[in-house]
Amino acid sequence: MVARLQNTIRDYAWGSRTALPELLGVEPDGNPQAELWMGAHESASSLVGGESLYQLVSAEPAAVLGAETASRFEGRFPFLAKLLAAEQPLSIQAHPSRSQAVDGYARDEAAGIPRDAADRNYKDSWPKPEILIALGPFDALVGFRPLDESVALLEALGAPELQELADLLRDGKLRDAFTHFMSSDRDSIRPLVAALSEACRRYDGTTWAVEVETLDKLCVDFPDDPGVLAALLLNRVRLERFQAVYLPAGNVHAYLHGTGFEVMANSDNVLRGGLTRKHVDVPELVSVVDFEPLASPVLEGTDDAAGITAYETGCEYFAVRRIDVTGELEVPAEGPRIVACVEGTVTVGAEGTEDTVELSTGQSAFLRGPEGPCNLRGSGTAFVVSTG
């Protein structure tokens, strides 16, 4: 079976009002449109022929996912794909590992916290590794910057109020610095953010111009938020079209602005620390954070001769390939697959079936696990997502 997906758009406040409508070729409705979900998450499942993909998987996991995938992932659809359009920053956040998610979910269940409660940390027992592939210029904060570079940035800013942070970093105490400032109340953070904002506006150099511009904007938008100080410690990344960032368990990050194609394990576990008015739990966030500095956050795809670009992550929950279609080609992959067209027009078929679906930009199709390799033809660009 090759079937067209009907997908849900989530209207989170940070979403762009124009980017997704432009991609989908429809008129904006004036509301923020943050994410278009493709997959079988129970809170916003795609539809296949008018039926919920989540319900189809729940009823017959082996028939929909394939026996091996159903067994390996406990009868659950393994991944969730999204088109994401950020007009404003998302929260400073990290995601748990599998063992951390199992433990956290058990604690929240034992405490009797409703699964849809705003102050619940663990919605399920899965990790949430994810990859974001830019569809145009995309700005983000990703992983901790090497400590000597963060010290150099603080020295360039020259704000005496931030000397304590600089001293902690010189002593190699990244965890202490992050925990201390993220745990501070808003009243004590406000003068530090004001001092940082003033230092940013005094800065007239070029070495840190992009970082300083970002920090200054965050100071204006979040004047009493500890997440602004966390941003001092993170790599400021500008992705160009089809560059990516991979975010395994523990990676602290925040998307700032842009449109991208995102794939993650089929989980909703997010631990937030700042740049948000949503639930924040700093001790729980710190308990899952990986404090190892990340010198090279940008992931490039690897091309082969057939026009297939793979984004190698080693993640067991998903694998992502970008296909630049000019004619017809076969994409070898097994298990359940989602094909999402992000440019042009692409027709999707599968070996052993006569079913085909023509996709225009922003549309997607689903192939069941038992289907053979998928065939793409046309002129455009599509992502094929399968299990890892």
Side-chain angles (χ1 to χ4, degrees), residues 285-340:
L285 172 66
V286 170
S287 75
V288 308
V289 165
D290 180 358
F291 285 96
E292 185 68 26
L294 181 63
S296 302
V298 177
L299 174 66
E300 303 280 358
T302 303
D303 301 334
D304 70 8
I308 299 175
T309 301
Y311 292 87
E312 303 291 351
T313 65
C315 179
E316 66 174 308
Y317 293 88
F318 59 78
V320 185
R321 297 175 177 88
R322 189 185 86 241
I323 319 299
D324 297 311
V325 184
T326 55
E328 183 170 359
L329 62 106
E330 180 181 282
V331 183
E334 298 179 351
R337 280 145 289 167
I338 288 176
V339 180

Side-chain angles (χ1 to χ4, degrees), residues 121-160:
N121 287 322
Y122 295 91
K123 312 293 187 183
D124 53 68
S125 62
W126 272 26
K128 193 186 175 187
E130 63 188 43
I131 185 172
L132 185 286
I133 304 169
L135 297 181
F138 194 99
D139 297 327
L141 301 170
V142 181
F144 290 107
R145 188 188 297 113
L147 298 191
D148 59 341
E149 295 181 18
S150 290
V151 170
L153 170 59
L154 287 164
E155 290 176 344
L157 289 170

Side-chain angles (χ1 to χ4, degrees), residues 157 195-204 211-212 215-216 219:
L157 289 170
L196 174 59
S197 179
E198 184 178 343
C200 287
R201 295 179 185 190
R202 287 197 308 265
Y203 180 78
D204 61 358
E211 287 82 358
V212 168
L215 289 167
D216 188 39
C219 288

Side-chain angles (χ1 to χ4, degrees), residues 96-107 122 124-127 269:
S97 68
R98 171 66 163 163
S99 61
Q100 291 164 342
V102 168
D103 291 345
Y105 180 76
R107 290 196 306 271
Y122 295 91
D124 53 68
S125 62
W126 272 26
N269 286 326

Side-chain angles (χ1 to χ4, degrees), residues 36-297:
L36 183 147
W37 286 26
M38 295 167 273
H41 194 282
E42 60 183 310
S43 69
S45 177
S46 299
L47 302 180
V48 176
E51 297 185 74
S52 161
L53 183 55
Y54 173 79
Q55 295 294 342
L56 291 172
V57 172
S58 299
E60 296 185 284
V64 179
L65 302 177
E68 190 274 336
T69 300
S71 174
R72 184 153 61 110
F73 294 104
E74 306 164 336
R76 290 179 57 179
F77 202 97
F79 56 81
L80 177 65
K82 301 178 181 179
L83 290 172
L84 178 147
E87 183 65 31
Q88 300 174 6
L90 282 67
S91 59
I92 296 278
Q93 61 185 257
H95 308 300
S97 68
R98 171 66 163 163
S99 61
Q100 291 164 342
V102 168
D103 291 345
Y105 180 76
R107 290 196 306 271
D108 284 358
E109 287 287 281
I113 305 172
R115 294 185 192 179
D116 60 352
D119 62 346
R120 176 157 177 156
N121 287 322
Y122 295 91
K123 312 293 187 183
D124 53 68
S125 62
W126 272 26
K128 193 186 175 187
E130 63 188 43
I131 185 172
L132 185 286
I133 304 169
L135 297 181
F138 194 99
D139 297 327
L141 301 170
V142 181
F144 290 107
R145 188 188 297 113
L147 298 191
D148 59 341
E149 295 181 18
S150 290
V151 170
L153 170 59
L154 287 164
E155 290 176 344
L157 289 170
E161 296 85 351
L162 298 174
Q163 186 62 48
E164 180 182 4
L165 176 57
D167 289 343
L168 287 169
L169 297 181
R170 287 190 188 94
D171 292 339
K173 297 179 178 179
L174 175 59
R175 184 189 184 100
D176 292 347
F178 182 81
T179 304
H180 171 67
F181 286 103
M182 293 300 288
S183 302
S184 300
D185 62 57
R186 293 184 181 272
D187 287 339
S188 61
I189 285 296
R190 190 176 288 107
L192 294 178
V193 173
L196 174 59
S197 179
E198 184 178 343
C200 287
R201 295 179 185 190
R202 287 197 308 265
Y203 180 78
D204 61 358
T206 58
T207 303
W208 300 102
V210 174
E211 287 82 358
V212 168
E213 180 183 9
T214 296
L215 289 167
D216 188 39
K217 186 175 188 310
L218 292 176
C219 288
V220 172
D221 293 344
F222 302 93
D224 60 354
D225 195 309
V228 176
L229 298 185
L232 275 164
L233 308 174
L234 302 176
N235 290 296
R236 166 62 164 82
V237 173
R238 161 62 66 90
L239 300 177
E240 300 301 336
R241 183 169 171 81
F242 297 145
Q243 288 184 316
V245 287
Y246 174 56
L247 308 167
N251 181 295
V252 179
H253 61 278
Y255 298 147
L256 300 175
H257 185 272
T259 303
F261 182 73
E262 188 180 28
V263 183
M264 63 199 65
N266 193 14
S267 170
D268 202 22
N269 286 326
V270 180
L271 298 168
R272 301 178 182 88
L275 306 187
T276 182
R277 295 292 178 177
K278 292 184 177 180
H279 174 60
V280 168
D281 188 333
V282 172
E284 194 63 34
L285 172 66
V286 170
S287 75
V288 308
V289 165
D290 180 358
F291 285 96
E292 185 68 26
L294 181 63
S296 302

